[in-house]
Amino acid sequence: PYPTILSWSNDNIYKFKPLPQDLNDKWYEKGTSFRSMDSLAGQPNPIFQKFLQHPDYDNYWKSMIPNGEEFAKINIPVLTTTGYYDGSQIGALKYFKLHYKYNNNANHYLVIGPYDHWGGQAKAAPELMGYKIDSAANLNMRKLAYQWLDYILKGAQKPEILKDKINYEVMGTNEWKHAPSLEQMNNDTLKLFLTYGNTKNKYELSPYKSKKVSFLSQTVDFKDRATQNNYFTPFIILDSLDASNGIVYQTEPFKETFSINGSFFGELNAEINKKDMDVSIAFYEQTPDGKYFYLTRYLGRASYAKDMSKRELLTPGKKESIPFDVTRLVSKQINKGSRLLIVLNVNKHPYDVINYGSGKDVNDETINDAGEPLKIKWFTDSFIAIPVWK
């Protein structure tokens, strides 16, 4: 789904009045198409409309980044800095991965920690979204950038933190770790199936696949504008969890301490009564004191799960496989007694495009395309896989 940020031409960016603060809420209440967002704001935008003409990852978008041959020719030293809560992290890591994919001798370093976008580019905030970061993570990225340039251009000493190509702070340990590649950040994978628990209304993330595949049901009424799915909190540490009509799956308390190091991935198996849906998976640690630590989130469109360059609609009434792997990298120590949990949901929220499932271009769908409520069967052979260090 596309972010609801309207782009203006660089020549005219300052001449327009600010966008209405309640624009997204107004759009949500009216149920108009996402394509009408700029008109609703009173500022028609040809650039915004141009973007929406290309919902697939087609040549329009591919032409904006280097191709494989061009990545192979990038031989200059590169330093990438980003954060676990940086909205631009996925893009930053995509470039990092492609550089190494096409150039085995790439001289490319990564520094990543508990930062949002500004912390990953400028200076870390001692408290991020209510979470007091470890003192070791309190870096000044601008200072690091100058140290990097002095090292590359003037022969100065390499910045101390760059002990290997991957340099990451493990939240909760007050310690930086270093690895030669993203794959070597972890030494195991925790594969968890979405199963029933032993207690009524308790759903488990279990290392064991159910012997008999069954399903859990969920219903989403897109016509209902009094409620929202996919509640997003601006805080990392929460006293309680708002599942927002989603299904909560959780592990049993862990008997040993370990670290999550990497990006989670997996496969959802589902049957719906429509042609498409946008899936959300919010990922948390529940600590022994009962608090919830927000780790990361996945949001993706089922019809593009297998190929971003070609939309493949789902068949109503048919069990479908929905793989996912585009999630933000995160590193955190999970202590003995903690649980991991996910909130599985379907997007219905003012700050993301709403996919009504009609099969039309999602940018053109309106609340009139909602039809009957979306009915989902989430099958118990669905799983998530979490890279860990034990």
Side-chain angles (χ1 to χ4, degrees):
Y2 311 98
T4 53
I5 298 175
L6 306 185
S7 302
W8 308 106
S9 68
N10 291 331
D11 293 337
N12 298 322
I13 192 169
Y14 295 110
K15 84 175 189 178
F16 292 106
K17 62 183 180 181
L19 296 174
Q21 291 294 314
D22 64 347
L23 177 60
N24 292 80
D25 293 319
K26 185 183 296 184
W27 168 77
Y28 183 76
E29 291 168 7
K30 286 181 174 291
T32 56
S33 71
F34 186 69
R35 197 181 299 277
S36 69
M37 182 74 82
D38 57 347
S39 298
L40 190 62
Q43 299 182 37
N45 185 340
I47 298 175
F48 175 66
Q49 295 298 328
K50 180 73 172 179
F51 286 172
L52 299 189
Q53 290 173 14
H54 300 274
D56 302 335
Y57 184 54
D58 58 12
N59 289 331
Y60 175 79
W61 299 110
K62 291 177 183 177
S63 67
M64 296 184 183
I65 69 168
N67 59 33
E69 183 179 341
E70 291 167 331
F71 269 112
K73 293 179 180 179
I74 299 176
N75 293 311
I76 60 172
V78 181
L79 173 64
T80 293
T81 61
T82 183
Y84 303 140
Y85 301 93
D86 181 358
S88 299
Q89 187 216 111
I90 289 176
L93 290 188
K94 181 69 172 180
Y95 278 84
F96 182 87
K97 293 172 184 176
L98 288 173
H99 194 186
Y100 273 103
K101 178 180 179 180
Y102 294 106
N103 186 340
N104 292 330
N105 298 315
N107 186 14
H108 197 149
Y109 287 79
L110 171 69
V111 176
I112 186 168
Y115 315 120
D116 59 8
H117 184 66
W118 301 114
Q121 304 303 312
K123 187 176 181 180
E127 185 171 305
L128 175 65
M129 298 164 62
Y131 164 60
K132 292 182 180 179
I133 70 172
D134 295 334
S135 59
N138 199 354
L139 289 188
N140 187 322
M141 293 298 184
R142 286 178 177 167
K143 184 177 180 180
L144 176 62
Y146 282 114
Q147 291 173 342
W148 165 259
L149 291 172
D150 284 343
Y151 163 63
I152 295 300
L153 301 177
K154 297 182 178 181
Q157 185 176 355
K158 181 192 291 187
E160 184 179 355
I161 198 170
L162 302 181
K163 289 183 168 54
D164 216 324
K165 294 298 173 66
I166 312 296
N167 306 276
Y168 58 101
E169 203 270 338
V170 185
M171 292 186 290
T173 67
N174 200 33
E175 185 179 3
W176 285 86
K177 293 288 188 179
H178 313 274
S181 68
L182 291 171
E183 292 75 20
Q184 289 172 275
M185 288 177 63
N186 50 79
N187 63 0
D188 202 354
T189 301
L190 190 61
K191 188 174 183 179
L192 300 170
F193 292 91
L194 279 57
T195 64
Y196 290 108
N198 298 319
T199 307
K200 186 178 180 181
N201 296 326
K202 179 182 176 184
Y203 309 124
E204 286 188 359
L205 288 176
S206 172
Y208 306 106
K209 186 177 180 179
S210 299
K211 293 181 179 179
K212 182 179 180 180
V213 176
S214 53
F215 60 86
L216 292 176
S217 298
Q218 183 181 9
T219 300
V220 180
D221 186 359
F222 291 109
K223 292 179 179 178
D224 173 16
R225 284 301 195 260
T227 62
Q228 301 175 11
N229 280 28
N230 230 23
Y231 173 77
F232 178 73
T233 173
F235 298 103
I236 291 175
I237 298 177
L238 307 167
D239 291 326
S240 61
L241 186 67
D242 185 344
S244 294
N245 194 40
I247 302 174
V248 178
Y249 296 86
Q250 63 183 17
T251 66
E252 291 296 322
F254 291 103
K255 296 180 180 180
E256 296 180 353
T257 295
F258 64 95
S259 294
I260 292 175
N261 289 340
S263 304
F264 79 96
F265 59 97
E267 181 176 284
L268 297 173
N269 294 304
E271 177 186 314
I272 65 175
N273 61 335
K274 294 180 182 287
K275 298 179 181 179
D276 204 2
M277 63 176 173
D278 289 350
V279 178
S280 166
I281 304 174
F283 191 26
Y284 298 85
E285 173 195 10
Q286 185 180 22
T287 53
D289 61 2
K291 294 186 182 296
Y292 298 87
F293 192 105
Y294 170 65
L295 295 167
T296 187
R297 176 191 178 211
Y298 167 78
L299 180 62
R301 184 155 295 158
S303 59
Y304 285 111
K306 296 175 182 176
D307 187 351
M308 289 292 293
S309 65
K310 182 181 179 182
R311 191 180 188 196
E312 184 178 339
L313 294 174
L314 279 63
T315 301
K318 177 185 175 183
K319 182 180 177 182
E320 303 266 13
S321 170
I322 306 169
F324 62 90
D325 61 3
V326 184
T327 64
R328 291 190 185 96
L329 180 150
V330 65
S331 178
K332 186 182 187 301
Q333 179 171 282
I334 307 300
N335 292 316
K336 177 181 177 181
S338 284
R339 302 172 186 262
L340 291 177
L341 64 85
I342 64 169
V343 180
L344 177 62
N345 218 334
V346 170
N347 184 64
K348 189 186 76 171
H349 193 277
Y351 292 89
D352 294 300
V353 185
I354 296 178
N355 182 352
Y356 293 91
S358 71
K360 294 167 55 177
D361 186 332
V362 176
N363 297 313
D364 292 319
E365 286 183 311
T366 72
I367 199 169
N368 294 328
D369 294 300
E372 64 178 324
L374 171 66
K375 295 180 180 179
I376 315 144
K377 294 179 180 177
W378 300 109
F379 290 92
T380 54
D381 53 353
S382 303
F383 70 89
I384 67 169
I386 305 163
V388 299
W389 184 274
K390 292 184 177 180

